[in-house]
Amino acid sequence: MDARILRRGLLDAGYEELPILSQHVLTVDALPPIHKDPFDRLLIAQAITEGIVLLTSGATVAQYPSPVRLAR
């Protein structure tokens, strides 16, 4: 699928983009060292900071506390 078409469809359906804020970066620093991937850690920090659930298929990422959940 064309990423531009997907993005437009999601925005048209009411989804919002989540910018990276300084608070997200501060939350990354407070995360336990379970996983070293910086992008995954940023997603986890965003979920924590924004109070949203992060669904993951990665068992390692799912080891982080709520709001991270393993998608089954």
Side-chain angles (χ1 to χ4, degrees):
M1 169 169 251
D2 185 314
R4 290 182 273 312
I5 294 171
L6 175 61
R7 178 180 179 270
R8 182 77 263 147
L10 290 170
L11 292 173
D12 289 348
Y15 286 82
E16 296 179 26
E17 295 179 326
L18 185 59
I20 298 170
L21 305 175
S22 58
Q23 184 58 50
H24 300 146
V25 176
L26 295 173
T27 303
V28 167
D29 192 46
L31 291 175
I34 296 171
H35 189 53
K36 301 227 185 268
D37 184 289
F39 185 73
D40 285 347
R41 290 175 59 83
L42 182 57
L43 291 175
I44 294 162
Q46 284 181 309
I48 292 168
T49 302
E50 300 300 325
I52 57 178
V53 174
L54 174 64
L55 292 177
T56 180
S57 61
T60 303
V61 174
Q63 292 177 29
Y64 282 91
S66 183
V68 180
R69 296 191 188 140
L70 187 62
R72 298 176 189 245

Short mmCIF file of all heavy atoms in Angstrom, two decimals:
data_model
loop_
_atom_site.label_atom_id
_atom_site.label_comp_id
_atom_site.label_asym_id
_atom_site.label_seq_id
_atom_site.Cartn_x
_atom_site.Cartn_y
_atom_site.Cartn_z
N MET A 1 0.84 -1.17 0.00
CA MET A 1 0.00 0.00 0.00
C MET A 1 0.88 1.24 0.00
O MET A 1 1.91 1.28 0.65
CB MET A 1 -0.92 -0.02 1.22
CG MET A 1 -1.65 1.27 1.43
SD MET A 1 -2.95 1.19 2.64
CE MET A 1 -4.34 1.34 1.58
N ASP A 2 0.44 2.23 -0.67
CA ASP A 2 1.13 3.52 -0.71
C ASP A 2 0.95 4.21 0.65
O ASP A 2 -0.18 4.43 1.12
CB ASP A 2 0.52 4.37 -1.83
CG ASP A 2 1.23 5.69 -2.03
OD1 ASP A 2 1.51 6.39 -1.03
OD2 ASP A 2 1.50 6.02 -3.19
N ALA A 3 2.06 4.56 1.28
CA ALA A 3 2.02 5.16 2.62
C ALA A 3 1.26 6.48 2.63
O ALA A 3 0.59 6.82 3.62
CB ALA A 3 3.44 5.37 3.14
N ARG A 4 1.33 7.23 1.54
CA ARG A 4 0.61 8.51 1.48
C ARG A 4 -0.90 8.30 1.49
O ARG A 4 -1.65 9.05 2.13
CB ARG A 4 1.05 9.30 0.25
CG ARG A 4 2.48 9.82 0.36
CD ARG A 4 2.91 10.64 -0.82
NE ARG A 4 3.48 10.03 -2.00
CZ ARG A 4 4.45 9.12 -2.07
NH1 ARG A 4 4.94 8.61 -0.98
NH2 ARG A 4 4.94 8.68 -3.19
N ILE A 5 -1.33 7.27 0.78
CA ILE A 5 -2.77 6.97 0.75
C ILE A 5 -3.23 6.47 2.11
O ILE A 5 -4.29 6.87 2.60
CB ILE A 5 -3.07 5.93 -0.36
CG1 ILE A 5 -2.80 6.54 -1.74
CG2 ILE A 5 -4.50 5.43 -0.26
CD1 ILE A 5 -2.85 5.56 -2.88
N LEU A 6 -2.44 5.62 2.74
CA LEU A 6 -2.77 5.13 4.08
C LEU A 6 -2.88 6.29 5.06
O LEU A 6 -3.85 6.40 5.82
CB LEU A 6 -1.73 4.12 4.56
CG LEU A 6 -1.88 3.63 5.99
CD1 LEU A 6 -3.22 2.92 6.19
CD2 LEU A 6 -0.72 2.74 6.38
N ARG A 7 -1.89 7.18 5.05
CA ARG A 7 -1.90 8.34 5.96
C ARG A 7 -3.15 9.18 5.74
O ARG A 7 -3.84 9.56 6.68
CB ARG A 7 -0.65 9.18 5.75
CG ARG A 7 -0.62 10.42 6.62
CD ARG A 7 0.65 11.25 6.38
NE ARG A 7 0.63 12.44 7.20
CZ ARG A 7 0.10 13.61 6.81
NH1 ARG A 7 -0.44 13.74 5.61
NH2 ARG A 7 0.12 14.65 7.63
N ARG A 8 -3.44 9.49 4.49
CA ARG A 8 -4.61 10.31 4.19
C ARG A 8 -5.89 9.63 4.69
O ARG A 8 -6.76 10.27 5.28
CB ARG A 8 -4.70 10.55 2.68
CG ARG A 8 -5.85 11.42 2.24
CD ARG A 8 -5.59 12.91 2.50
NE ARG A 8 -6.19 13.34 3.75
CZ ARG A 8 -5.70 14.28 4.55
NH1 ARG A 8 -4.60 14.91 4.25
NH2 ARG A 8 -6.31 14.62 5.64
N GLY A 9 -6.00 8.32 4.48
CA GLY A 9 -7.17 7.58 4.94
C GLY A 9 -7.32 7.61 6.45
O GLY A 9 -8.42 7.77 6.98
N LEU A 10 -6.20 7.45 7.16
CA LEU A 10 -6.23 7.49 8.62
C LEU A 10 -6.64 8.87 9.13
O LEU A 10 -7.46 9.00 10.04
CB LEU A 10 -4.88 7.07 9.20
CG LEU A 10 -4.52 5.60 9.03
CD1 LEU A 10 -3.07 5.35 9.42
CD2 LEU A 10 -5.46 4.70 9.81
N LEU A 11 -6.05 9.91 8.55
CA LEU A 11 -6.40 11.27 8.97
C LEU A 11 -7.87 11.57 8.66
O LEU A 11 -8.57 12.17 9.48
CB LEU A 11 -5.49 12.29 8.29
CG LEU A 11 -4.02 12.27 8.73
CD1 LEU A 11 -3.20 13.21 7.87
CD2 LEU A 11 -3.86 12.59 10.20
N ASP A 12 -8.33 11.14 7.50
CA ASP A 12 -9.74 11.35 7.14
C ASP A 12 -10.68 10.60 8.07
O ASP A 12 -11.81 11.02 8.29
CB ASP A 12 -9.99 10.91 5.69
CG ASP A 12 -9.36 11.84 4.67
OD1 ASP A 12 -8.93 12.95 5.05
OD2 ASP A 12 -9.28 11.44 3.49
N ALA A 13 -10.20 9.48 8.65
CA ALA A 13 -11.02 8.69 9.57
C ALA A 13 -10.97 9.22 11.01
O ALA A 13 -11.59 8.65 11.90
CB ALA A 13 -10.57 7.23 9.53
N GLY A 14 -10.21 10.31 11.21
CA GLY A 14 -10.18 10.91 12.54
C GLY A 14 -8.96 10.58 13.38
O GLY A 14 -8.85 11.04 14.52
N TYR A 15 -8.05 9.78 12.84
CA TYR A 15 -6.82 9.51 13.58
C TYR A 15 -5.96 10.77 13.61
O TYR A 15 -6.00 11.58 12.68
CB TYR A 15 -6.03 8.37 12.93
CG TYR A 15 -6.64 7.01 13.16
CD1 TYR A 15 -7.70 6.55 12.38
CD2 TYR A 15 -6.17 6.18 14.17
CE1 TYR A 15 -8.27 5.31 12.60
CE2 TYR A 15 -6.72 4.93 14.39
CZ TYR A 15 -7.78 4.50 13.61
OH TYR A 15 -8.34 3.28 13.82
N GLU A 16 -5.20 10.92 14.68
CA GLU A 16 -4.32 12.08 14.82
C GLU A 16 -2.87 11.62 14.86
O GLU A 16 -2.56 10.57 15.42
CB GLU A 16 -4.64 12.84 16.10
CG GLU A 16 -6.02 13.45 16.13
CD GLU A 16 -6.30 14.18 17.43
OE1 GLU A 16 -5.35 14.65 18.08
OE2 GLU A 16 -7.47 14.28 17.78
N GLU A 17 -2.00 12.43 14.30
CA GLU A 17 -0.57 12.15 14.39
C GLU A 17 -0.07 12.61 15.76
O GLU A 17 -0.54 13.61 16.30
CB GLU A 17 0.18 12.87 13.28
CG GLU A 17 -0.18 12.35 11.92
CD GLU A 17 0.54 13.06 10.79
OE1 GLU A 17 0.80 14.28 10.91
OE2 GLU A 17 0.85 12.40 9.80
N LEU A 18 0.87 11.88 16.30
CA LEU A 18 1.42 12.19 17.61
C LEU A 18 2.85 12.71 17.45
O LEU A 18 3.74 11.96 17.07
CB LEU A 18 1.40 10.93 18.49
CG LEU A 18 1.83 11.09 19.94
CD1 LEU A 18 0.94 12.10 20.66
CD2 LEU A 18 1.74 9.75 20.65
N PRO A 19 3.06 14.00 17.72
CA PRO A 19 4.41 14.54 17.58
C PRO A 19 5.31 14.05 18.71
O PRO A 19 4.84 13.58 19.75
CB PRO A 19 4.20 16.06 17.69
CG PRO A 19 2.97 16.20 18.52
CD PRO A 19 2.10 15.01 18.17
N ILE A 20 6.59 14.15 18.51
CA ILE A 20 7.56 13.82 19.55
C ILE A 20 7.82 15.09 20.35
O ILE A 20 8.27 16.10 19.81
CB ILE A 20 8.86 13.29 18.95
CG1 ILE A 20 8.59 12.00 18.18
CG2 ILE A 20 9.91 13.06 20.03
CD1 ILE A 20 9.75 11.51 17.35
N LEU A 21 7.50 15.03 21.64
CA LEU A 21 7.66 16.18 22.53
C LEU A 21 8.81 15.95 23.50
O LEU A 21 9.23 14.81 23.73
CB LEU A 21 6.36 16.41 23.31
CG LEU A 21 5.09 16.59 22.47
CD1 LEU A 21 3.87 16.69 23.38
CD2 LEU A 21 5.22 17.81 21.58
N SER A 22 9.28 17.01 24.10
CA SER A 22 10.39 16.89 25.05
C SER A 22 10.00 16.00 26.23
O SER A 22 10.83 15.25 26.76
CB SER A 22 10.84 18.27 25.55
OG SER A 22 9.76 18.96 26.15
N GLN A 23 8.74 16.01 26.65
CA GLN A 23 8.30 15.14 27.75
C GLN A 23 8.45 13.68 27.38
O GLN A 23 8.78 12.84 28.22
CB GLN A 23 6.87 15.45 28.16
CG GLN A 23 6.40 14.64 29.36
CD GLN A 23 7.28 14.84 30.59
OE1 GLN A 23 7.56 15.97 30.98
NE2 GLN A 23 7.74 13.76 31.20
N HIS A 24 8.22 13.34 26.12
CA HIS A 24 8.40 11.96 25.68
C HIS A 24 9.86 11.54 25.84
O HIS A 24 10.16 10.44 26.30
CB HIS A 24 7.99 11.80 24.21
CG HIS A 24 6.57 12.15 23.95
ND1 HIS A 24 6.16 12.73 22.77
CD2 HIS A 24 5.45 12.02 24.71
CE1 HIS A 24 4.85 12.92 22.81
NE2 HIS A 24 4.40 12.51 23.98
N VAL A 25 10.76 12.44 25.49
CA VAL A 25 12.20 12.15 25.61
C VAL A 25 12.59 11.96 27.07
O VAL A 25 13.36 11.05 27.41
CB VAL A 25 13.03 13.25 24.94
CG1 VAL A 25 14.52 13.01 25.12
CG2 VAL A 25 12.69 13.35 23.45
N LEU A 26 12.04 12.79 27.95
CA LEU A 26 12.33 12.64 29.38
C LEU A 26 11.81 11.31 29.91
O LEU A 26 12.44 10.67 30.75
CB LEU A 26 11.72 13.81 30.16
CG LEU A 26 12.30 15.19 29.87
CD1 LEU A 26 11.49 16.27 30.58
CD2 LEU A 26 13.77 15.25 30.25
N THR A 27 10.67 10.88 29.42
CA THR A 27 10.10 9.60 29.84
C THR A 27 10.95 8.44 29.34
O THR A 27 11.12 7.44 30.05
CB THR A 27 8.65 9.47 29.36
OG1 THR A 27 7.89 10.58 29.87
CG2 THR A 27 8.01 8.17 29.83
N VAL A 28 11.53 8.55 28.14
CA VAL A 28 12.44 7.51 27.64
C VAL A 28 13.57 7.29 28.63
O VAL A 28 13.93 6.16 28.95
CB VAL A 28 13.03 7.89 26.26
CG1 VAL A 28 14.20 6.99 25.90
CG2 VAL A 28 11.97 7.82 25.18
N ASP A 29 14.11 8.38 29.15
CA ASP A 29 15.23 8.29 30.08
C ASP A 29 14.86 7.56 31.37
O ASP A 29 15.71 6.96 32.01
CB ASP A 29 15.75 9.70 30.40
CG ASP A 29 17.07 9.68 31.12
OD1 ASP A 29 17.97 8.93 30.68
OD2 ASP A 29 17.20 10.41 32.12
N ALA A 30 13.59 7.59 31.74
CA ALA A 30 13.14 6.95 32.98
C ALA A 30 12.74 5.48 32.79
O ALA A 30 12.45 4.79 33.77
CB ALA A 30 11.96 7.73 33.56
N LEU A 31 12.72 5.00 31.55
CA LEU A 31 12.30 3.62 31.30
C LEU A 31 13.35 2.63 31.79
O LEU A 31 14.56 2.90 31.70
CB LEU A 31 12.08 3.40 29.79
CG LEU A 31 10.89 4.08 29.16
CD1 LEU A 31 10.90 3.85 27.65
CD2 LEU A 31 9.59 3.60 29.77
N PRO A 32 12.91 1.47 32.26
CA PRO A 32 13.88 0.43 32.62
C PRO A 32 14.58 -0.08 31.35
O PRO A 32 14.02 -0.01 30.25
CB PRO A 32 13.02 -0.66 33.26
CG PRO A 32 11.64 -0.41 32.80
CD PRO A 32 11.53 1.05 32.50
N PRO A 33 15.79 -0.61 31.50
CA PRO A 33 16.58 -1.03 30.33
C PRO A 33 16.18 -2.41 29.80
O PRO A 33 17.04 -3.28 29.60
CB PRO A 33 18.00 -1.03 30.86
CG PRO A 33 17.85 -1.37 32.30
CD PRO A 33 16.56 -0.72 32.74
N ILE A 34 14.91 -2.62 29.54
CA ILE A 34 14.43 -3.91 29.05
C ILE A 34 14.80 -4.10 27.59
O ILE A 34 15.14 -5.19 27.14
CB ILE A 34 12.90 -4.02 29.23
CG1 ILE A 34 12.54 -4.00 30.71
CG2 ILE A 34 12.34 -5.26 28.55
CD1 ILE A 34 11.05 -3.86 30.99
N HIS A 35 14.74 -3.03 26.84
CA HIS A 35 14.88 -3.09 25.39
C HIS A 35 15.75 -1.92 24.94
O HIS A 35 15.62 -0.82 25.46
CB HIS A 35 13.47 -2.99 24.79
CG HIS A 35 13.37 -3.24 23.33
ND1 HIS A 35 13.86 -4.36 22.72
CD2 HIS A 35 12.80 -2.52 22.33
CE1 HIS A 35 13.59 -4.33 21.43
NE2 HIS A 35 12.94 -3.21 21.18
N LYS A 36 16.62 -2.13 23.98
CA LYS A 36 17.55 -1.06 23.59
C LYS A 36 17.16 -0.32 22.32
O LYS A 36 17.77 0.67 21.98
CB LYS A 36 18.94 -1.67 23.42
CG LYS A 36 19.45 -2.33 24.69
CD LYS A 36 20.84 -1.92 24.97
CE LYS A 36 21.39 -2.66 26.17
NZ LYS A 36 21.18 -1.96 27.40
N ASP A 37 16.14 -0.78 21.61
CA ASP A 37 15.77 -0.12 20.36
C ASP A 37 15.21 1.27 20.65
O ASP A 37 14.18 1.41 21.31
CB ASP A 37 14.72 -0.96 19.62
CG ASP A 37 14.36 -0.37 18.28
OD1 ASP A 37 13.69 0.69 18.26
OD2 ASP A 37 14.73 -0.97 17.25
N PRO A 38 15.88 2.33 20.17
CA PRO A 38 15.44 3.69 20.52
C PRO A 38 14.05 4.05 20.00
O PRO A 38 13.32 4.78 20.66
CB PRO A 38 16.52 4.59 19.91
CG PRO A 38 17.23 3.75 18.91
CD PRO A 38 17.08 2.33 19.33
N PHE A 39 13.68 3.56 18.83
CA PHE A 39 12.36 3.88 18.30
C PHE A 39 11.27 3.21 19.13
O PHE A 39 10.27 3.86 19.49
CB PHE A 39 12.24 3.45 16.83
CG PHE A 39 10.94 3.86 16.21
CD1 PHE A 39 10.69 5.19 15.88
CD2 PHE A 39 9.95 2.93 15.96
CE1 PHE A 39 9.49 5.58 15.32
CE2 PHE A 39 8.74 3.31 15.39
CZ PHE A 39 8.51 4.63 15.07
N ASP A 40 11.46 1.94 19.49
CA ASP A 40 10.48 1.25 20.34
C ASP A 40 10.36 1.95 21.69
O ASP A 40 9.26 2.14 22.20
CB ASP A 40 10.88 -0.21 20.56
CG ASP A 40 10.64 -1.08 19.35
OD1 ASP A 40 9.94 -0.64 18.41
OD2 ASP A 40 11.16 -2.22 19.34
N ARG A 41 11.49 2.35 22.25
CA ARG A 41 11.47 3.03 23.55
C ARG A 41 10.72 4.36 23.47
O ARG A 41 10.00 4.74 24.38
CB ARG A 41 12.88 3.20 24.09
CG ARG A 41 13.50 1.87 24.51
CD ARG A 41 14.96 1.99 24.94
NE ARG A 41 15.16 2.89 26.04
CZ ARG A 41 15.02 2.59 27.34
NH1 ARG A 41 14.64 1.37 27.69
NH2 ARG A 41 15.25 3.48 28.28
N LEU A 42 10.86 5.06 22.34
CA LEU A 42 10.14 6.32 22.16
C LEU A 42 8.64 6.06 22.06
O LEU A 42 7.84 6.79 22.66
CB LEU A 42 10.64 7.05 20.92
CG LEU A 42 9.99 8.40 20.65
CD1 LEU A 42 10.15 9.34 21.84
CD2 LEU A 42 10.57 9.00 19.40
N LEU A 43 8.23 5.02 21.36
CA LEU A 43 6.81 4.68 21.28
C LEU A 43 6.24 4.35 22.65
O LEU A 43 5.13 4.76 23.00
CB LEU A 43 6.59 3.50 20.33
CG LEU A 43 6.84 3.75 18.85
CD1 LEU A 43 6.70 2.46 18.08
CD2 LEU A 43 5.92 4.82 18.31
N ILE A 44 7.01 3.61 23.45
CA ILE A 44 6.58 3.26 24.81
C ILE A 44 6.43 4.53 25.65
O ILE A 44 5.44 4.70 26.36
CB ILE A 44 7.58 2.28 25.45
CG1 ILE A 44 7.57 0.95 24.70
CG2 ILE A 44 7.30 2.09 26.94
CD1 ILE A 44 8.80 0.09 24.95
N ALA A 45 7.42 5.41 25.55
CA ALA A 45 7.37 6.67 26.31
C ALA A 45 6.18 7.52 25.89
O ALA A 45 5.52 8.14 26.74
CB ALA A 45 8.67 7.43 26.12
N GLN A 46 5.88 7.57 24.60
CA GLN A 46 4.72 8.32 24.14
C GLN A 46 3.43 7.73 24.72
O GLN A 46 2.56 8.48 25.17
CB GLN A 46 4.65 8.33 22.62
CG GLN A 46 5.64 9.26 21.96
CD GLN A 46 5.49 9.24 20.46
OE1 GLN A 46 5.49 8.19 19.84
NE2 GLN A 46 5.40 10.42 19.87
N ALA A 47 3.32 6.43 24.72
CA ALA A 47 2.12 5.79 25.26
C ALA A 47 1.96 6.12 26.75
O ALA A 47 0.85 6.45 27.20
CB ALA A 47 2.18 4.28 25.06
N ILE A 48 3.05 6.04 27.49
CA ILE A 48 3.00 6.34 28.92
C ILE A 48 2.60 7.80 29.14
O ILE A 48 1.69 8.11 29.92
CB ILE A 48 4.35 6.03 29.59
CG1 ILE A 48 4.58 4.51 29.60
CG2 ILE A 48 4.42 6.62 30.99
CD1 ILE A 48 6.00 4.11 29.97
N THR A 49 3.29 8.71 28.47
CA THR A 49 3.07 10.14 28.65
C THR A 49 1.66 10.56 28.23
O THR A 49 1.01 11.37 28.92
CB THR A 49 4.11 10.95 27.84
OG1 THR A 49 5.42 10.57 28.26
CG2 THR A 49 3.93 12.44 28.03
N GLU A 50 1.18 10.01 27.13
CA GLU A 50 -0.12 10.42 26.59
C GLU A 50 -1.28 9.62 27.16
O GLU A 50 -2.44 9.94 26.90
CB GLU A 50 -0.11 10.28 25.06
CG GLU A 50 0.95 11.12 24.37
CD GLU A 50 0.82 12.61 24.63
OE1 GLU A 50 -0.33 13.10 24.73
OE2 GLU A 50 1.85 13.29 24.72
N GLY A 51 -0.99 8.57 27.94
CA GLY A 51 -2.06 7.77 28.52
C GLY A 51 -2.82 6.95 27.49
O GLY A 51 -4.03 6.77 27.61
N ILE A 52 -2.09 6.48 26.48
CA ILE A 52 -2.71 5.65 25.45
C ILE A 52 -2.09 4.26 25.47
O ILE A 52 -0.99 4.06 25.98
CB ILE A 52 -2.57 6.28 24.04
CG1 ILE A 52 -1.10 6.54 23.70
CG2 ILE A 52 -3.37 7.57 23.95
CD1 ILE A 52 -0.86 7.11 22.32
N VAL A 53 -2.79 3.28 24.95
CA VAL A 53 -2.31 1.90 24.93
C VAL A 53 -1.42 1.70 23.71
O VAL A 53 -1.75 2.14 22.60
CB VAL A 53 -3.50 0.91 24.88
CG1 VAL A 53 -3.01 -0.51 24.71
CG2 VAL A 53 -4.33 1.05 26.14
N LEU A 54 -0.29 1.04 23.91
CA LEU A 54 0.58 0.63 22.83
C LEU A 54 0.44 -0.87 22.65
O LEU A 54 0.81 -1.64 23.54
CB LEU A 54 2.04 0.99 23.12
CG LEU A 54 3.07 0.48 22.11
CD1 LEU A 54 2.84 1.13 20.75
CD2 LEU A 54 4.48 0.76 22.60
N LEU A 55 -0.12 -1.27 21.53
CA LEU A 55 -0.23 -2.70 21.21
C LEU A 55 1.02 -3.10 20.45
O LEU A 55 1.43 -2.42 19.52
CB LEU A 55 -1.45 -2.98 20.34
CG LEU A 55 -2.80 -2.79 21.00
CD1 LEU A 55 -3.91 -3.03 19.99
CD2 LEU A 55 -2.96 -3.71 22.19
N THR A 56 1.61 -4.22 20.83
CA THR A 56 2.83 -4.70 20.19
C THR A 56 2.75 -6.20 19.96
O THR A 56 2.10 -6.92 20.71
CB THR A 56 4.07 -4.36 21.03
OG1 THR A 56 5.24 -4.83 20.36
CG2 THR A 56 4.01 -4.98 22.42
N SER A 57 3.42 -6.65 18.93
CA SER A 57 3.55 -8.09 18.71
C SER A 57 4.89 -8.57 19.24
O SER A 57 5.20 -9.75 19.18
CB SER A 57 3.41 -8.42 17.22
OG SER A 57 4.44 -7.78 16.49
N GLY A 58 5.69 -7.64 19.76
CA GLY A 58 7.02 -7.97 20.27
C GLY A 58 6.98 -8.35 21.74
O GLY A 58 6.59 -7.55 22.59
N ALA A 59 7.38 -9.57 22.04
CA ALA A 59 7.35 -10.05 23.43
C ALA A 59 8.27 -9.23 24.34
O ALA A 59 7.95 -9.00 25.51
CB ALA A 59 7.74 -11.53 23.48
N THR A 60 9.40 -8.77 23.81
CA THR A 60 10.31 -7.97 24.63
C THR A 60 9.69 -6.63 24.97
O THR A 60 9.73 -6.19 26.12
CB THR A 60 11.65 -7.78 23.91
OG1 THR A 60 12.21 -9.06 23.61
CG2 THR A 60 12.64 -7.02 24.77
N VAL A 61 9.11 -5.97 23.99
CA VAL A 61 8.47 -4.68 24.23
C VAL A 61 7.31 -4.84 25.20
O VAL A 61 7.07 -3.99 26.05
CB VAL A 61 8.00 -4.05 22.90
CG1 VAL A 61 7.19 -2.79 23.13
CG2 VAL A 61 9.19 -3.76 22.00
N ALA A 62 6.61 -5.95 25.11
CA ALA A 62 5.45 -6.20 25.98
C ALA A 62 5.86 -6.39 27.45
O ALA A 62 4.99 -6.40 28.32
CB ALA A 62 4.69 -7.42 25.49
N GLN A 63 7.14 -6.50 27.73
CA GLN A 63 7.59 -6.63 29.12
C GLN A 63 7.50 -5.31 29.88
O GLN A 63 7.57 -5.28 31.10
CB GLN A 63 9.03 -7.14 29.17
CG GLN A 63 9.18 -8.57 28.71
CD GLN A 63 10.63 -9.02 28.70
OE1 GLN A 63 11.43 -8.53 29.49
NE2 GLN A 63 10.95 -9.93 27.83
N TYR A 64 7.36 -4.22 29.16
CA TYR A 64 7.21 -2.92 29.82
C TYR A 64 5.84 -2.88 30.50
O TYR A 64 4.91 -3.54 30.07
CB TYR A 64 7.34 -1.77 28.81
CG TYR A 64 8.77 -1.50 28.45
CD1 TYR A 64 9.37 -2.13 27.37
CD2 TYR A 64 9.56 -0.62 29.20
CE1 TYR A 64 10.68 -1.90 27.03
CE2 TYR A 64 10.88 -0.38 28.86
CZ TYR A 64 11.44 -1.02 27.80
OH TYR A 64 12.73 -0.80 27.47
N PRO A 65 5.74 -2.08 31.57
CA PRO A 65 4.45 -2.00 32.27
C PRO A 65 3.39 -1.31 31.43
O PRO A 65 3.67 -0.73 30.39
CB PRO A 65 4.80 -1.19 33.52
CG PRO A 65 5.99 -0.37 33.14
CD PRO A 65 6.76 -1.21 32.16
N SER A 66 2.17 -1.37 31.94
CA SER A 66 1.05 -0.71 31.29
C SER A 66 1.46 0.70 30.93
O SER A 66 2.21 1.32 31.67
CB SER A 66 -0.12 -0.71 32.27
OG SER A 66 -1.24 -0.16 31.68
N PRO A 67 1.09 1.20 29.84
CA PRO A 67 0.00 0.82 28.94
C PRO A 67 0.44 -0.02 27.73
O PRO A 67 -0.19 0.02 26.70
CB PRO A 67 -0.52 2.18 28.48
CG PRO A 67 0.72 3.02 28.38
CD PRO A 67 1.59 2.54 29.51
N VAL A 68 1.52 -0.80 27.87
CA VAL A 68 1.99 -1.65 26.77
C VAL A 68 1.31 -3.00 26.90
O VAL A 68 1.31 -3.62 27.96
CB VAL A 68 3.52 -1.80 26.80
CG1 VAL A 68 3.97 -2.69 25.66
CG2 VAL A 68 4.19 -0.45 26.74
N ARG A 69 0.72 -3.45 25.79
CA ARG A 69 0.02 -4.74 25.80
C ARG A 69 0.44 -5.57 24.60
O ARG A 69 0.61 -5.03 23.50
CB ARG A 69 -1.49 -4.54 25.76
CG ARG A 69 -2.01 -3.86 26.99
CD ARG A 69 -3.52 -3.92 27.04
NE ARG A 69 -3.98 -3.08 28.13
CZ ARG A 69 -5.05 -2.32 28.06
NH1 ARG A 69 -5.76 -2.28 26.96
NH2 ARG A 69 -5.40 -1.60 29.08
N LEU A 70 0.56 -6.85 24.81
CA LEU A 70 0.88 -7.78 23.75
C LEU A 70 -0.37 -8.06 22.92
O LEU A 70 -1.40 -8.46 23.46
CB LEU A 70 1.45 -9.08 24.33
CG LEU A 70 1.98 -10.09 23.33
CD1 LEU A 70 3.15 -9.53 22.54
CD2 LEU A 70 2.42 -11.36 24.07
N ALA A 71 -0.28 -7.82 21.62
CA ALA A 71 -1.40 -8.09 20.72
C ALA A 71 -1.41 -9.59 20.43
O ALA A 71 -0.40 -10.18 20.13
CB ALA A 71 -1.26 -7.30 19.43
N ARG A 72 -2.55 -10.18 20.55
CA ARG A 72 -2.66 -11.63 20.32
C ARG A 72 -3.55 -11.92 19.16
O ARG A 72 -4.40 -11.29 18.80
CB ARG A 72 -3.19 -12.30 21.57
CG ARG A 72 -2.26 -12.11 22.72
CD ARG A 72 -2.83 -12.69 23.99
NE ARG A 72 -1.98 -12.29 25.07
CZ ARG A 72 -1.26 -13.13 25.79
NH1 ARG A 72 -1.32 -14.41 25.55
NH2 ARG A 72 -0.54 -12.70 26.77
#
